[in-house]
C-alpha cells in the first residue's frame, strides 16, 4: 500500500474558428487568431478575396454562396463563428443560421443601429429572442478600436476570453 499521484492533461484540438467574410477585418483576424491557436476557416462568396494569398494562415478556405456552404461546416460546441461579411443581407443570412447552431461563440460586426435592425428582422421571421441573446454584437471587447487590425485584436481578445470561460448551460 502506498499512494500514487496521477496527473492528467487532456490534449484538446485547436478550437475551430469560422470566419464569414474575407474582407479587410477578416485578414488580420485570421492571422492573429491562428497565432493564438485557433484553426481558422474562411468562408466567402468571392474567390478574389477568399484565397491562399490573402489568408496564408487559414486552415481552410471555402468559396460559394453562404447558404450553400452551411451544411459543409462541422459546427460543434467548441466552434467559434465570426460574422464579418460585406453587407446587411449576408450578415442576416449567416446570423439566422448561426444562432441555431450549437457553436460556443457567435459574434457579428456592426453598429448598434445595424444590429438592432437585423435582430428585429430575425425576430419578425420567428427566430427566438433567446437565440439572438447569445450573439456577441457588436463583436469584440470594447477597446475603442478604429483600424481593421485593432478591431481584429478586440475580436481575438473576446475569443480568448470565451475560450477560457466556463460554458453556460443550455438548460
Amino acid at each position: 500500500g502506498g499512494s500514487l499521484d496521477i496527473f492528467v492533461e487532456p490534449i484538446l484540438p485547436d478550437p475551430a474558428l469560422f470566419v464569414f467574410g474575407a474582407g479587410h477585418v477578416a485578414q488580420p483576424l485570421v492571422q492573429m487568431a491562428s497565432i493564438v491557436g485557433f484553426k481558422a476557416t474562411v468562408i466567402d462568396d468571392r474567390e478574389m478575396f477568399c484565397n491562399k494569398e490573402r489568408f496564408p494562415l487559414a486552415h481552410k478556405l471555402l468559396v460559394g454562396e453562404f447558404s450553400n456552404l452551411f451544411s459543409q461546416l462541422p459546427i460543434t460546441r467548441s466552434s467559434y463563428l465570426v460574422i464579418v461579411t460585406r453587407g446587411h443581407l449576408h450578415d442576416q443570412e449567416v446570423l439566422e443560421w448561426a444562432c441555431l447552431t450549437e457553436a460556443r461563440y457567435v459574434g457579428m460586426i456592426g453598429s448598434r443601429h445595424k444590429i438592432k435592425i437585423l435582430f428585429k428582422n430575425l425576430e419578425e421571421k420567428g427566430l427566438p429572442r433567446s437565440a439572438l441573446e447569445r450573439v456577441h454584437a457588436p463583436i469584440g471587447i470594447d477597446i475603442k478600436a478604429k483600424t481593421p487590425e485593432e478591431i481584429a485584436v478586440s475580436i481575438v481578445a473576446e475569443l480568448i476570453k470565451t475560450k477560457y470561460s466556463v460554458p453556460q448551460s443550455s438548460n
Side-chain angles (χ1 to χ4, degrees):
S3 68
L4 175 65
D5 291 329
I6 298 176
F7 296 97
V8 178
E9 183 175 344
I11 299 174
L12 302 172
D14 292 335
L17 171 64
F18 297 88
V19 179
F20 296 88
H24 61 288
V25 172
Q27 275 188 290
L29 171 64
V30 168
Q31 183 177 9
M32 290 177 208
S34 297
I35 289 169
V36 298
F38 286 85
K39 195 182 261 185
T41 297
V42 181
I43 303 107
D44 200 287
D45 60 348
R46 305 163 297 171
E47 190 170 353
M48 66 185 288
F49 286 90
C50 188
N51 57 61
K52 205 61 173 169
E53 290 75 39
R54 287 176 46 88
F55 294 96
L57 297 180
H59 171 69
K60 195 172 193 178
L61 300 166
L62 295 172
V63 178
E65 295 299 320
F66 293 108
S67 60
N68 294 338
L69 297 174
F70 294 152
S71 64
Q72 296 179 36
L73 305 176
I75 306 302
T76 67
R77 288 189 198 132
S78 60
S79 298
Y80 297 74
L81 311 181
V82 171
I83 304 166
V84 289
T85 74
R86 69 182 182 279
H88 290 18
L89 291 177
H90 294 297
D91 288 344
Q92 183 170 316
E93 175 186 20
V94 175
L95 182 61
E96 183 176 4
W97 168 81
C99 283
L100 299 175
T101 69
E102 63 178 353
R104 170 99 189 252
Y105 176 94
V106 176
M108 184 180 73
I109 200 166
S111 68
R112 294 188 193 287
H113 179 70
K114 170 187 149 182
I115 291 160
K116 186 176 178 180
I117 290 169
L118 291 182
F119 280 25
K120 182 177 181 277
N121 291 347
L122 291 174
E123 281 186 282
E124 288 173 358
K125 286 182 76 174
L127 196 68
R129 183 73 187 160
S130 60
L132 293 168
E133 288 172 352
R134 62 187 289 253
V135 178
H136 297 260
I139 197 171
I141 292 175
D142 185 5
I143 58 170
K144 310 297 183 221
K146 301 282 186 247
T147 67
E149 294 79 11
E150 292 170 346
I151 293 167
V153 166
S154 76
I155 295 169
V156 171
E158 189 168 69
L159 295 174
I160 293 167
K161 181 180 177 184
T162 301
K163 178 179 161 185
Y164 291 114
S165 66
V166 176
Q168 300 220 343
S169 172
S170 57
N171 297 346

